[in-house]
């Protein structure tokens, strides 16, 4: 490939973060970037790849062994260490092979495949966690930005009121106390805006940890489509992991049962003697399973106990996950009700009260303190509404992104 193409690719890689920062970051883009950049996902994928490679070797016969040696070599007398003087001295070479039955090899391969599937699920779990953390960070950053807009709007309103009060003071229709009160309120509003900017900066830094850069702005509010309870449980990460662990335990129990049959070892050797005929040896080694009740049966019982343990853990985790889903779904439903109630019963009246106080103040009979109280009440109502909406969004994000991605099930 020409050098110019490499240079262009490197320049594009350097400029990409800057280009990304210039465009508003969407919710889907944040999720995709988090999954792509996660080192935990990369580590899990590497582990899964290694486990898949192990499957191919698990079903093979052990490697044959080359055997070589010298038998009956003299070590004393005039012929010591001579390989040609003593008729009984023989140089030999041979090969041996441990033989595993097809059933035993299939059982070992099945156990290795179950391990590979468990590692693959771990990669899916790491990806789901990266998407969840990115979703929560995006929610925090979005509502921090909305809170900043609210405080800046209040600051802008106070700036306009202060300018109007100064004009009225110049026309001798307003007192200096009123201007001072407005100046103080404007200072408080500016400080609240700075606090909101600080909170937004913290939220954006947390989001940058997952997407790789600090976005200048966010494209839109996140939306969530909540899963039903059966789908939530079918793709729950803890249940997926425990289900694969139970399958590994069952496969290992099968291997232990197959190991009760001993492995035979076949051997062929060739011996060379000086002055006499060469010899060929053929043999087989068969392990004697003495007291299998104390060895092989105990091993099988231990493996079966691990199967019971894994299945019990899976059942308990299923109950816990179902309870968590119901609790979170209930919280989300109640938060939605609280938001609707707060919007109609508190936020809307507070906005109307501010409009009435502002109209009264501009027509002169109204009190400035009444306007301040109305504006402060409206601001607090809007802040509480944003806090409730943020809490609802976080609860919905937990329900939607804690499970594995669509199409991945235990």
């Amino acid at each position: 490939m020409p050098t110019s193409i490499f240079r262009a690719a490197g320049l594009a890689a350097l400029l990409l973060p800057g280009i990304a920062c210039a465009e508003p970051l969407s919710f889907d883009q944040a999720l995709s970037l988090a999954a792509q950049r996660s080192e935990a996902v990369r580590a899990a994928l590497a582990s899964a790849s290694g486990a898949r490679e192990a499957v191919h070797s698990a079903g093979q016969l052990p490697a044959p062994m080359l055997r070589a040696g010298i038998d009956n070599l003299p070590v004393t007398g005039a012929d010591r260490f001579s390989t040609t003087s003593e008729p009984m001295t023989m140089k030999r070479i041979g090969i041996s092979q441990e033989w595993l039955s097809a059933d035993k090899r299939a059982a070992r391969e099945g156990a290795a495949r179950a391990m590979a599937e468990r590692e693959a699920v771990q990669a899916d779990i790491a990806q789901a966690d990266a998407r969840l953390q990115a979703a929560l960070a995006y929610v925090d950053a979005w509502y921090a930005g909305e809170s900043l807009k609210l405080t800046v709007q209040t600051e802008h309103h106070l700036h306009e009121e202060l300018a109007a009060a100064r004009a009225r003071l110049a026309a001798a229709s307003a007192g200096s106390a009123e201007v001072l009160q407005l100046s103080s309120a404007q200072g408080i509003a500016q400080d609240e805006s700075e606090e909101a900017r600080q909170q937004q900066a913290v939220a954006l830094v947390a989001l940058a940890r997952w997407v790789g850069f600090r976005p200048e702005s966010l494209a839109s509010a996140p939306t969530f489509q909540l899963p039903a309870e059966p789908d939530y449980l079918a793709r729950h990460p803890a249940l997926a992991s425990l289900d694969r662990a139970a399958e590994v335990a069952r496969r290992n129990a099968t291997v232990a049962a197959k190991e009760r049959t001993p492995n035979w070892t076949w051997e062929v050797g060739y011996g060379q003697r000086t002055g006499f005929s060469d010899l060929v040896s053929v043999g087989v080694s068969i392990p004697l399973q003495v007291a299998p009740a104390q060895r092989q049966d105990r091993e099988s019982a231990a493996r079966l106990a691990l199967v019971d343990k894994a299945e019990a853990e899976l059942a308990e985790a299923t109950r816990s996950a179902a309870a968590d889903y119901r609790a979170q779904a209930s919280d989300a439903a109640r938060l939605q009700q609280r938001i609707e109630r707060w919007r109609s019963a508190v936020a809307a009246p507070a906005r109307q009260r501010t409009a009435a106080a502002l109209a009264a103040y501009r027509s002169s009979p109204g009190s400035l303190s009444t306007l301040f109280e109305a504006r402060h009440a409206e601001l607090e109502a809007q802040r509480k509404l944003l806090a409730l909406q943020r809490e609802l969004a976080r609860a919905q994000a937990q329900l939607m992104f804690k499970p594995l991605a669509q199409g991945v099930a235990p």
Side-chain angles (χ1 to χ4, degrees):
M1 184 179 292
T3 305
S4 59
I5 297 180
F6 281 113
R7 291 177 178 174
L11 181 61
L14 291 174
L15 293 179
L16 183 59
I19 296 173
C21 291
E23 295 293 332
L25 179 68
S26 70
F27 186 57
D28 291 339
Q29 287 174 338
L31 299 180
S32 178
L33 287 170
Q36 294 171 11
R37 296 186 66 258
S38 174
E39 293 299 325
V41 173
R42 187 165 73 94
L45 288 174
S47 180
S49 177
R52 285 194 301 271
E53 294 297 329
V55 174
H56 299 290
S57 62
Q60 304 298 316
L61 288 172
M65 295 186 65
L66 178 67
R67 299 181 181 274
I70 298 177
D71 295 337
N72 303 318
L73 179 69
V75 293
T76 60
D79 296 332
R80 61 181 179 179
F81 303 121
S82 173
T83 62
T84 59
S85 300
E86 172 59 48
M88 293 185 64
T89 300
M90 180 177 65
K91 292 175 284 186
R92 59 178 172 80
I93 186 170
I95 189 170
S96 64
Q97 173 68 63
E98 183 182 10
W99 181 261
L100 277 71
S101 66
D103 289 346
K104 188 175 291 187
R105 281 179 282 153
R108 292 186 178 185
E109 185 176 355
R113 184 174 291 106
M115 287 288 293
E117 292 172 353
R118 187 182 69 173
E119 293 301 321
V121 167
Q122 294 302 318
D124 295 329
I125 291 173
Q127 186 178 63
D129 183 67
R131 287 165 56 85
L132 172 60
Q133 298 304 323
L136 295 175
Y138 192 97
V139 166
D140 290 342
W142 171 264
Y143 283 100
E146 293 300 301
S147 180
L148 176 59
K149 291 178 183 178
L150 186 63
T151 57
V152 168
Q153 183 181 13
T154 301
E155 182 182 348
H156 178 70
H157 287 322
L158 286 171
H159 178 75
E160 292 179 344
E161 296 301 328
L162 179 59
R166 285 173 176 168
R168 293 171 62 185
L169 179 61
S173 59
S176 60
E178 179 181 341
V179 175
L180 292 174
Q181 192 174 4
L182 279 169
S183 297
S184 176
Q186 186 182 30
I188 294 173
Q190 290 172 347
D191 182 71
E192 290 175 343
S193 295
E194 289 302 318
E195 181 182 3
R197 287 189 182 92
Q198 181 180 355
Q199 293 174 352
Q200 184 190 40
V202 171
L204 289 174
V205 168
L207 179 59
R209 177 256 182 272
W210 295 103
V211 301
F213 61 93
R214 176 173 170 170
E216 294 295 331
S217 60
L218 304 181
S220 59
T223 57
F224 305 98
Q225 184 176 0
L226 304 186
E229 181 176 346
D231 187 46
Y232 178 87
L233 296 179
R235 297 184 291 113
H236 193 280
L239 301 186
S241 179
L242 289 172
D243 180 77
R244 296 305 184 191
E247 180 62 20
V248 169
R250 285 189 286 267
R251 293 288 185 174
N252 287 336
T254 302
V255 171
K258 297 295 183 182
E259 293 296 337
R260 296 185 81 258
T261 304
N263 301 330
W264 293 22
T265 301
W266 303 93
E267 182 176 358
V268 177
Y270 184 87
Q272 183 184 54
R273 297 187 299 173
T274 301
F276 294 88
S277 300
D278 294 344
L279 304 175
V280 173
S281 301
V282 178
V284 60
S285 300
I286 304 175
L288 298 178
Q289 294 188 349
V290 180
Q294 301 300 322
R295 292 184 176 89
Q296 289 80 15
D297 291 350
R298 297 280 183 174
E299 180 66 20
S300 295
R303 296 292 185 178
L304 290 174
L306 292 178
V307 173
D308 291 340
K309 174 178 178 289
E311 291 177 347
E313 289 177 344
L314 176 59
E316 184 64 26
T318 301
R319 296 176 185 175
S320 178
D324 289 343
Y325 175 86
R326 292 163 190 166
Q328 291 178 5
S330 176
D331 287 344
R334 291 181 180 179
L335 283 169
Q336 187 64 54
Q337 294 173 359
R338 289 179 62 189
I339 288 172
E340 294 173 358
R341 187 183 305 113
W342 187 270
R343 184 181 285 116
S344 60
V346 180
R351 185 165 54 251
Q352 295 169 2
R353 176 188 173 189
T354 300
L358 179 60
Y361 172 70
R362 287 177 175 174
S363 63
S364 294
S367 168
L368 182 61
S369 61
T370 302
L371 176 59
F372 286 163
E373 291 176 1
R375 282 203 184 280
H376 180 72
E378 181 185 5
L379 177 61
E380 291 303 316
Q382 291 293 334
R383 283 180 172 177
K384 179 63 178 294
L385 181 60
L386 285 176
L388 290 173
Q389 290 173 335
R390 173 181 171 274
E391 191 175 351
L392 173 61
R394 288 181 65 88
Q396 292 174 333
Q398 289 280 354
L399 287 171
M400 181 174 179
F401 293 104
K402 189 171 185 177
L404 306 182
Q406 288 287 348
V408 178

